[in-house]
Amino acid sequence: MTEMVRKITLSRAVRTMQDLFPEEYNFYPQSWILPEEFPLFVAEVRMMKESDPPWKPTFIVKPDGGCQGDGIYLIKDPSDIRLAGNLQSRPVVVQEYISKPLLIDKLKFDIRLYVLLKSLEPLEIYIAKDGLSRFCTEPYREPTLKNLHQVFMHLTNYSLNIHSGNFIHSDNVNTGSKRTFSSVLYRLSSKGVDIKKLWSDIISLVIKTVLALTPELKVYYQSDIPAGKPGPTCFQILGFDILLMKNLKPVLLEVNANPSMRIEHEQELSPGVFENVPSPVDEEIKVAVIRDTLRLMDPHKKKRKDNQSQLSENSSDTKDDLLEPGSTDQLEHDISKNPEASLPSLCLKQVFPKYAKQFNYLRLVDRMAALFIRFLGVKGTMKLGPTGFRTFIR
């Protein structure tokens, strides 16, 4: 999984889908993989500038294996790429920078959403109902040659902005430099934004991204856990980083295979002396994600025949029941019969196979993976692994 969501592998997988379904995969910025596509990058930018002279793009350069904003920088022209020897040892993805993001309080922000990939066969995807909004710490201005290097204005990475003097650690989930996504949605809703449509677009983006990643993931998977053998149950919590454009269109920035699950932050008491302080917003979101992942993955669940979807659908009814007088005896009986009854309703919402019908036509590469594994994949070996699979797709 870590390999699949590296910036280059993700860009390749999404590009395959963009070639097949350009309209459906326009949520990922145009990307080039360097050094191998450097001449292509230069040629395409020149061509686009000639066809549209007023176009003054900015590009963001991201090291393939980088995380927490490490090594990211902005450029205005392909010739500004730091083509030093380290590009060979540390390849990068260059993307067109989104210069018109949605702002709140004049600040740029992104959304970290937690997605549970519960299984590959059959494909099951869950999305947490709330996420984190991580804010820049300097008011946003469109990129110019003078402000390209101002990371606190352009990059939303928490690990960068925490070093800014303007970073606000809040003990409230609705304010500060890191807040709940629901608090942002509440603000947008009060301004008349169609929140249902926005959520629907985000869910669609998540499903389409996972559909782009799963074919190659299955090729890896069958080599380690051959079909027909009882293997371990594999699952993964992914961190999706999403940016909202000014027109409210969600754009995928990247996917994290190992999103941070820390629920405290370091505070410097005196020079060089740090202590860990609880972070209410992290606790609110992450504890629920981990708790509900374990509830969904519980191997004894099948024996209890507790239908999870019924559980989540009934959760709203349960809340109403609790308000009625005389219902405590019934509640105690429910808890002894079903320990889940005492837990909060699920924060993880199933989006696949729930909405599978409308996305099934996108599973073309998935069907190719099934053919590849059936006829060419050598069970339990990597003789024909992901590289062979990419050639097979082409």
Side-chain angles (χ1 to χ4, degrees):
M1 192 77 235
T2 311
E3 181 58 38
M4 277 312 304
V5 300
R6 284 172 78 100
K7 295 176 181 68
I8 286 180
T9 329
L10 175 68
S11 296
R12 277 204 183 107
V14 172
R15 190 185 294 169
T16 299
M17 297 302 274
Q18 283 175 330
D19 290 344
L20 292 163
F21 308 103
E23 292 296 306
E24 285 85 341
Y25 280 83
N26 61 5
F27 56 80
Y28 192 65
Q30 188 163 11
S31 309
W32 295 268
I33 295 157
L34 271 49
E36 63 188 77
E37 293 179 348
F38 186 66
L40 181 71
F41 173 47
V42 174
E44 287 189 358
V45 171
R46 188 186 299 128
M47 197 169 70
M48 287 190 280
K49 278 184 173 172
E50 283 168 4
S51 65
D52 183 10
W55 185 57
K56 293 201 168 25
T58 303
F59 301 98
I60 185 162
V61 184
K62 305 176 180 179
D64 180 37
C67 60
Q68 302 183 329
D70 171 41
I72 294 179
Y73 61 98
L74 270 57
I75 58 170
K76 278 296 209 180
D77 192 84
S79 60
D80 301 335
I81 290 270
R82 296 169 195 168
L83 269 173
N86 66 350
L87 199 58
Q88 293 298 334
S89 58
R90 198 180 189 198
V92 298
V93 167
V94 182
Q95 292 181 327
E96 191 172 347
Y97 178 75
I98 307 296
S99 58
K100 294 193 187 303
L102 179 72
L103 305 180
I104 286 187
D105 303 328
K106 297 182 182 170
L107 299 170
K108 180 180 170 180
F109 67 97
D110 75 354
I111 305 152
R112 159 60 62 84
L113 274 189
Y114 296 95
V115 173
L116 169 66
L117 192 54
K118 187 179 175 220
S119 76
L120 279 178
E121 284 298 356
L123 183 59
E124 282 188 69
I125 310 167
Y126 289 77
I127 299 182
K129 290 179 185 173
D130 202 356
L132 300 170
S133 293
R134 302 168 305 182
F135 283 75
C136 283
T137 44
E138 279 180 24
Y140 179 78
R141 290 194 303 279
E142 286 200 28
T144 63
L145 286 170
K146 282 184 181 169
N147 71 25
L148 279 187
H149 62 282
Q150 294 183 13
V151 290
F152 298 144
M153 179 196 294
H154 294 297
L155 302 183
T156 46
N157 304 68
Y158 165 75
S159 44
L160 287 177
N161 281 283
I162 196 169
H163 299 297
S164 159
N166 300 331
F167 192 92
I168 302 164
H169 283 297
S170 173
D171 51 9
N172 184 327
V173 297
N174 305 322
T175 58
S177 297
K178 192 198 274 189
R179 316 174 196 175
T180 57
F181 179 41
S182 53
S183 70
V184 167
L185 288 174
Y186 184 77
R187 290 250 326 239
L188 295 176
S189 172
S190 67
K191 292 178 180 173
V193 169
D194 184 348
I195 298 305
K196 274 192 172 167
K197 162 89 168 70
L198 181 57
W199 254 121
S200 167
D201 290 346
I202 288 172
I203 289 169
S204 176
L205 175 152
V206 168
I207 292 174
K208 287 172 181 176
T209 305
V210 174
L211 289 182
L213 291 171
T214 47
E216 202 168 310
L217 197 56
K218 286 179 183 175
V219 175
Y220 274 110
Y221 193 89
Q222 65 85 33
S223 70
D224 289 324
I225 302 169
K229 290 189 181 176
T233 305
C234 302
F235 65 94
Q236 189 99 9
I237 296 172
L238 299 168
F240 271 67
D241 292 347
I242 295 166
L243 184 77
L244 295 179
M245 289 169 64
K246 206 172 183 175
N247 62 4
L248 293 168
K249 178 185 169 175
V251 171
L252 177 67
L253 297 178
E254 61 182 25
V255 182
N256 266 284
N258 300 304
S260 164
M261 286 296 169
R262 282 190 69 168
I263 54 170
E264 78 277 307
H265 59 261
E266 279 185 348
Q267 206 164 351
E268 196 163 11
L269 299 177
S270 56
V273 180
F274 294 89
E275 74 164 348
N276 284 332
V277 182
S279 163
V281 65
D282 284 301
E283 196 166 330
E284 167 107 354
I285 304 301
K286 294 173 183 177
V287 168
V289 167
I290 292 178
R291 178 193 65 224
D292 292 349
T293 297
L294 295 174
R295 282 164 78 183
L296 285 167
M297 297 308 303
D298 177 6
H300 302 299
K301 179 76 60 57
K302 291 188 187 89
K303 293 177 191 168
R304 291 204 300 266
K305 289 184 180 167
D306 273 344
N307 186 325
Q308 196 61 56
S309 58
Q310 260 182 329
L311 215 157
S312 48
E313 278 164 24
N314 295 346
S315 61
S316 50
D317 308 340
T318 322
K319 274 184 196 155
D320 298 340
D321 293 347
L322 297 184
L323 302 176
E324 290 177 17
S327 61
T328 45
D329 300 342
Q330 178 62 40
L331 180 67
E332 278 168 19
H333 173 67
D334 287 349
I335 289 172
S336 61
K337 203 171 66 177
N338 171 17
E340 295 247 338
S342 62
L343 288 170
S345 64
L346 277 176
C347 81
L348 291 169
K349 176 188 176 189
Q350 191 196 77
V351 295
F352 202 95
K354 186 176 179 182
Y355 303 123
K357 258 189 187 149
Q358 65 200 73
F359 294 98
N360 269 340
Y361 72 102
L362 297 173
R363 301 190 75 178
L364 184 62
V365 184
D366 223 28
R367 290 198 277 277
M368 289 185 205
L371 288 172
F372 177 84
I373 291 166
R374 187 169 170 191
F375 297 114
L376 298 170
V378 184
K379 297 275 182 277
T381 77
M382 279 300 261
K383 275 184 187 156
L384 269 173
T387 315
F389 176 55
R390 277 184 223 128
T391 312
F392 177 73
I393 293 174
R394 279 203 295 277

